Amino acid sequence: MRQAPWRFHRDLNTTAAWGYWASHPSDPGRPMGLGYLGPILVTHRDRPVIVRYRNHLPTTHLLRRSIDVTLWRNLPGVPPDPPGGRPMDLPRDVNVWNVVHLHGGWNPPQSDGNPDAWFTPHGLHGSLYGTLSGAAPNEAIYAYGNRQRATMLWYHDHAMDLTRLNNYLGLSGVYLIRDPAEDALRLPRGRFEVPLIIQDRTFNADGSLFYPTKGISAYHPIWVPEFFGDTPVVNGKAYPFLAVEPRRYRLRVLNGSNSRFYRFWFSDGRVRLPFWLIGISGGLRAYPLRSTTILLAPSERADVIVDFGGLPRGASVTLMNDAVVPYPGGGGGPAIPEIMRFQVTEPLSGRDDTTPPHALVLPPFESLHPTPGIPSRERVLTETTDPHDNPVHMKINGWYFFEPVDDFIKAGSTEIWEYVNTTGDAHPMHVHLVQFQIHNRQKFRAGDYAKDYERWVAAGRTAGGKPQLSRYLVGPPVPPEPYEQGWRDSFIAYPEMVNRIIATFTPAPPVPNISGTDTKYPADYIHHCHILEHEDNDMMRPWQLVRVPVPLE
């Protein structure tokens, strides 16, 4: 992790940004990188990877005016906020700490990148810091077994209280896993397979990244509940273009924005061009889906094939976006209708012998079923405000992140989790360790349930007094949209809906011949909203994987 110069656009000045750098293959002592984001890491299924994450960032944060933990330190009597009731043992002049999470990876907790596993450039560590042996004080060594199907994961900073800021400055990158089933499909490869990290950013007049700061009310810091930039940035460049040949391309799209949802479509200036969705966050789908639009929440990925073969030389195709901000209510941020251009200006370099998307036979998909005797686990998403209606906390089940674990999941069990969204926002919920499936969604009387639930929490969560969700349900459950079907590691929990997922909580196997990679129980993991401003302000909870079942309430 380094700070380096970066230029987002030719009309902007060069500025400082953060990124992941790799050791140069021919000279391990020399770093190799760009300055923003990180290298694309490519591996194969069942081939382990060891990554040494070294922190070479400065100890003073580039966005230090937007860091809230300093406000909590300096305001006596204000309730604790992340990093929580366990004050961080950091000098006041140090406000940079980091940890890396491989999003969607099936990994043991010591290599998962828990927010409390942070480490600083000068070697201080969080309470859950973990590493393989041989790490320097300012680094962590993680082992990834890659025992999962071909997919595009991504790695990003996940440090307690700073996730939104560290990612905003560039600490994100793509991680591709290949496998024989994917290799046999004759998909576009090489320069015809293009990962696209799509973000929204705002710039100061000097070309530096702008992120809002806060004032302080008499009661609480005024939190920035969501951030929406006014400029699209793709792979670190604002309003970019890609010169393409008249042939099929495989685009691996990641929504890497802090808070913005995108509804993508392709326009040639006259009509919407069709594309084929062949995979989502957890890998290839059961069948290719022809579409003209797709919705992606923060952290979600789409694996699509676009055919530029029928377009004339010199044609221009624009990747468009028409999702409201914030999603789905709208009325709260700048629109970004145009994302990037594809210019059909390159001559055809050879015959396109890839498989036509409609003819692809993708790997079969097997639906999960819950373990008998294990009821659904309910998670209530709530937002609270201070006396002046400033958004302050966004909780799960009324708990702060730092409060004791109350979810204990038996290793090997298959469970249904219900995200009961009483808020007005759509929340992209992410569960560490597992790939899951969307089970269904169902409307409910959100206002009535929220009042009764909050009354129960305020009364001390009395035994037997919790409102029964079944009494508030309205109408039958509905299945996920066709484009949502398949394996995934995050999904949209819509407002005024009970949003259900199903997952098998299998511990990650140890990496062969690498000590310290087995799962020790209880194993600490988390789940959270992937709107980064929500995640940093308590819509995140720990859970533990255990050997023996723990009775539910």
Side-chain angles (χ1 to χ4, degrees):
M1 291 166 271
R2 290 178 175 270
Q3 181 171 301
W6 183 252
R7 195 176 191 181
F8 286 91
H9 191 274
R10 65 186 180 188
D11 295 336
L12 293 174
N13 294 331
T14 300
T15 187
W18 289 1
Y20 296 104
W21 295 60
S23 300
H24 198 283
S26 61
D27 183 2
R30 180 160 58 97
M32 181 178 65
L34 296 175
Y36 182 80
L37 300 178
I40 300 171
L41 304 180
V42 185
T43 186
H44 289 77
R45 183 171 186 168
D46 298 327
R47 182 179 297 175
V49 168
I50 309 298
V51 184
R52 182 186 298 264
Y53 292 111
R54 182 173 294 164
N55 198 336
H56 275 271
L57 292 168
T59 57
T60 300
H61 208 287
L62 278 175
L63 299 175
R64 55 191 174 275
R65 291 170 60 88
S66 299
I67 297 176
D68 284 345
V69 67
T70 57
L71 293 174
W72 293 114
R73 288 173 179 164
N74 298 333
L75 290 179
V78 174
D81 199 46
R86 304 157 298 190
M88 297 178 69
D89 185 19
L90 291 174
R92 287 180 175 268
D93 61 342
V94 174
N95 49 32
V96 173
W97 52 92
N98 306 87
V99 66
V100 184
H101 170 56
L102 180 58
H103 183 113
W106 186 30
N107 297 311
Q110 61 270 32
S111 293
D112 181 61
N114 189 291
D116 262 338
W118 51 264
F119 52 101
T120 70
H122 57 349
L124 296 178
H125 298 157
S127 61
L128 292 180
Y129 169 80
T131 181
L132 300 183
S133 61
N138 69 327
E139 66 183 17
I141 305 174
Y142 288 175
Y144 302 140
N146 301 313
R147 303 283 292 275
Q148 55 194 107
R149 64 187 64 81
T151 188
M152 184 175 93
L153 309 179
W154 64 300
Y155 60 100
H156 63 82
D157 192 275
H158 212 315
M160 178 65 73
D161 199 54
L162 295 184
T163 300
R164 71 201 185 285
L165 302 180
N166 294 347
N167 280 268
Y168 191 76
L169 289 173
L171 292 181
S172 302
V174 166
Y175 189 101
L176 295 177
I177 299 178
R178 310 287 194 193
D179 70 10
E182 180 194 67
D183 293 340
L185 293 175
R186 291 194 299 124
L187 299 173
R189 296 293 295 269
R191 67 181 183 275
F192 308 119
E193 179 186 19
V194 185
L196 300 174
I197 302 178
I198 299 178
Q199 303 166 314
D200 58 335
R201 298 292 184 258
T202 296
F203 299 97
N204 295 305
D206 63 359
S208 61
L209 285 163
F210 166 82
Y211 189 92
T213 56
K214 307 158 302 304
I216 301 177
S217 72
Y219 300 93
H220 297 286
I222 300 175
W223 181 259
V224 178
E226 293 168 343
F227 174 79
F228 304 107
D230 58 15
T231 305
V233 172
V234 184
N235 293 355
K237 292 296 181 179
Y239 287 111
F241 72 91
L242 178 67
V244 298
E245 298 181 15
R247 60 177 295 146
R248 287 185 284 269
Y249 278 74
R250 183 183 186 187
L251 305 180
R252 315 294 295 271
V253 184
L254 161 66
N255 180 353
S257 292
N258 280 29
S259 299
R260 183 181 291 270
F261 287 60
Y262 296 93
R263 187 162 49 220
F264 292 123
W265 50 284
F266 295 88
S267 172
D268 67 355
R270 299 174 297 109
V271 297
R272 295 191 179 203
L273 299 182
F275 60 85
W276 291 86
L277 180 67
I278 65 170
I280 54 175
S281 301
L284 296 171
R285 292 168 41 86
Y287 62 94
L289 178 67
R290 188 179 187 273
S291 183
T292 58
T293 185
I294 186 170
L295 178 69
L296 287 186
S299 83
E300 290 188 321
R301 285 90 71 202
D303 190 349
V304 303
I305 294 180
V306 181
D307 192 351
F308 299 106
L311 300 174
R313 183 78 180 270
S316 180
V317 174
T318 305
L319 178 60
M320 305 292 293
N321 163 53
D322 61 8
V324 296
V325 182
Y327 190 85
I336 301 181
E338 298 184 359
I339 305 300
M340 68 173 293
R341 294 265 174 91
F342 298 88
Q343 298 177 351
V344 189
T345 55
E346 295 295 300
L348 191 62
S349 58
R351 179 185 174 188
D352 186 353
D353 60 357
T354 60
T355 305
H358 70 272
L360 286 171
V361 180
L362 301 179
F365 176 76
E366 183 177 349
S367 298
L368 294 178
H369 302 281
T371 301
I374 297 182
S376 300
R377 293 179 184 264
E378 178 184 313
R379 281 140 184 82
V380 181
L381 307 180
T382 59
E383 296 176 3
T384 58
T385 59
D386 71 9
H388 299 280
D389 289 329
N390 295 315
V392 176
H393 290 295
M394 302 175 186
K395 303 179 184 179
I396 299 176
N397 288 353
W399 297 115
Y400 293 101
F401 174 76
F402 60 83
E403 294 184 279
V405 177
D406 64 343
D407 276 326
F408 304 92
I409 314 300
K410 182 183 178 183
S413 64
T414 301
E415 296 195 357
I416 292 176
W417 286 17
E418 296 180 316
Y419 286 95
V420 183
N421 191 348
T422 66
T423 79
D425 292 328
H427 298 282
M429 302 306 299
H430 170 49
V431 184
H432 286 214
L433 177 68
V434 296
Q435 293 285 340
F436 56 78
Q437 300 166 14
I438 300 177
H439 191 56
N440 59 43
R441 296 184 177 96
Q442 190 170 8
K443 291 183 178 181
F444 75 115
R445 292 184 286 111
D448 294 340
Y449 183 79
K451 291 178 183 178
D452 293 344
Y453 188 87
E454 289 170 6
R455 187 180 300 114
W456 173 69
V457 170
R461 304 175 188 261
T462 58
K466 182 178 179 180
Q468 298 301 305
L469 180 61
S470 60
R471 299 176 182 175
Y472 301 81
L473 298 176
V474 178
V478 295
E481 296 293 333
Y483 69 86
E484 296 180 300
Q485 295 172 7
W487 295 101
R488 54 195 314 118
D489 44 57
S490 62
F491 85 119
I492 301 173
Y494 283 100
E496 300 185 358
M497 297 284 284
V498 178
N499 305 267
R500 301 182 179 97
I501 61 173
I502 184 168
T504 299
F505 292 83
T506 305
V511 177
N513 303 316
I514 303 294
S515 61
T517 60
D518 56 321
T519 297
K520 294 182 172 58
Y521 297 93
D524 291 289
Y525 292 98
I526 63 171
H527 66 117
H528 59 85
C529 177
H530 222 285
I531 292 176
L532 300 187
E533 283 74 18
H534 293 188
E535 169 184 341
D536 273 349
N537 201 35
D538 274 14
M539 194 167 274
M540 178 168 68
R541 282 290 293 158
W543 59 272
Q544 288 183 341
L545 193 70
V546 297
R547 288 186 182 275
V548 297
V550 176
L552 294 174
E553 178 189 359

